[in-house]
Amino acid sequence: MKIAIYPGTFDPITNGHLDILERALRLFDKVIITIARNPSKNPLFTEVERLAMIREALQTYKGVEVDAFDGLLVEYARKKGATAVVRGLRAISDFEYELQMALMNRRLNDDLVTVFLMPNEKYTYLNSSIVREIARHHGDVRDFVPPSVLERLHEKIRHASPT
Ligand code: COA
């Protein structure tokens, strides 16, 4: 059984992430989409909320596990029996950071292969910060996130902005 890890912050999960996940599912028997707990990030959504949004968005998907982890990705992958890490490459600007991570992960565990997948071009300019920013200013993000995320985003923004 070929298992891949799809790690990220997912604050929140977007249609771009789902696009990458769907492509990964064509290559692997199982994909573990997992939230990396990163103390240096200050996410808008709690881990519990992010996990719930991922689960809601993936209700009809087969072969996916949803999880969160602490520590090194290579150790987590080893524990899970995964042989690959999936990352999305949207633009040249992603490349340097991704190359550094992939090479360092390879240095830490040469058995773990990083696989880069390109999302549909309509998602190449998308990231979670830009979605949060548009939503904060009451812009329309319907085309960029799954419906469950849209609802929670609106709710979060309503509670954050005193009117
Ligand atoms: N569609 C839309 N947006 C995407 C995307 C896609 N397909 N792929 C990535 N993004 C966006 C994310 O939304 C995020 O946006 P933001 O910064 O505006 O919030 C941004 O790209 C960063 O991507 P993300 O996938 O969340 O990665 P990350 O940089 O937060 O996390 C880890 C990278 C989790 C893989 C890395 O930190 C890690 O492995 N951590 C564990 C500790 C470890 O092993 N460290 C050593 C690594 S060498």
Side-chain angles (χ1 to χ4, degrees):
M1 175 137 164
K2 289 251 174 261
I3 303 175
I5 307 284
Y6 182 25
T9 304
F10 304 110
D11 184 37
I13 189 164
T14 67
N15 290 340
H17 293 122
L18 293 177
D19 180 289
I20 296 291
L21 181 66
E22 284 165 21
R23 288 173 205 280
L25 284 167
R26 295 191 216 158
L27 300 173
F28 298 97
D29 301 308
K30 180 172 160 185
V31 178
I32 304 173
I33 177 166
T34 186
I35 292 177
R37 296 187 184 115
N38 183 347
S40 61
K41 282 207 173 181
N42 184 18
L44 174 66
F45 290 98
T46 65
E47 181 183 315
V48 170
E49 289 169 329
R50 282 178 284 152
L51 285 171
M53 285 186 284
I54 295 173
R55 289 203 174 99
E56 283 159 17
L58 300 185
Q59 267 170 18
T60 59
Y61 286 60
K62 300 236 175 335
V64 189
E65 183 183 321
V66 182
D67 197 14
F69 75 101
D70 288 304
L72 284 180
L73 179 63
V74 289
E75 290 308 324
Y76 175 77
R78 212 191 307 265
K79 265 202 317 234
K80 289 289 188 177
T83 51
V85 172
V86 168
R87 295 288 292 167
L89 259 194
R90 291 157 298 170
I92 302 264
S93 50
D94 284 343
F95 183 75
E96 227 169 85
Y97 172 60
E98 293 296 337
L99 178 73
Q100 183 188 28
M101 270 201 303
L103 294 181
M104 182 52 85
N105 282 332
R106 186 193 285 171
R107 179 73 209 277
L108 295 170
N109 178 3
D110 200 13
D111 295 330
L112 191 65
V113 175
T114 301
V115 175
F116 293 108
L117 297 173
M118 280 150 204
N120 187 303
E121 53 276 18
K122 66 185 178 199
Y123 300 129
T124 48
Y125 55 88
L126 197 58
N127 65 23
S128 299
S129 321
I130 211 161
V131 166
R132 293 194 302 269
E133 165 97 5
I134 297 167
R136 194 172 291 126
H137 296 291
H138 309 286
D140 186 358
V141 291
R142 243 177 315 178
D143 289 344
F144 310 131
V145 293
S148 58
V149 171
L150 191 67
E151 232 169 81
R152 281 171 191 262
L153 253 178
H154 285 155
E155 205 179 308
K156 198 55 119 179
I157 304 296
R158 247 197 323 271
H159 283 109
S161 51
T163 40

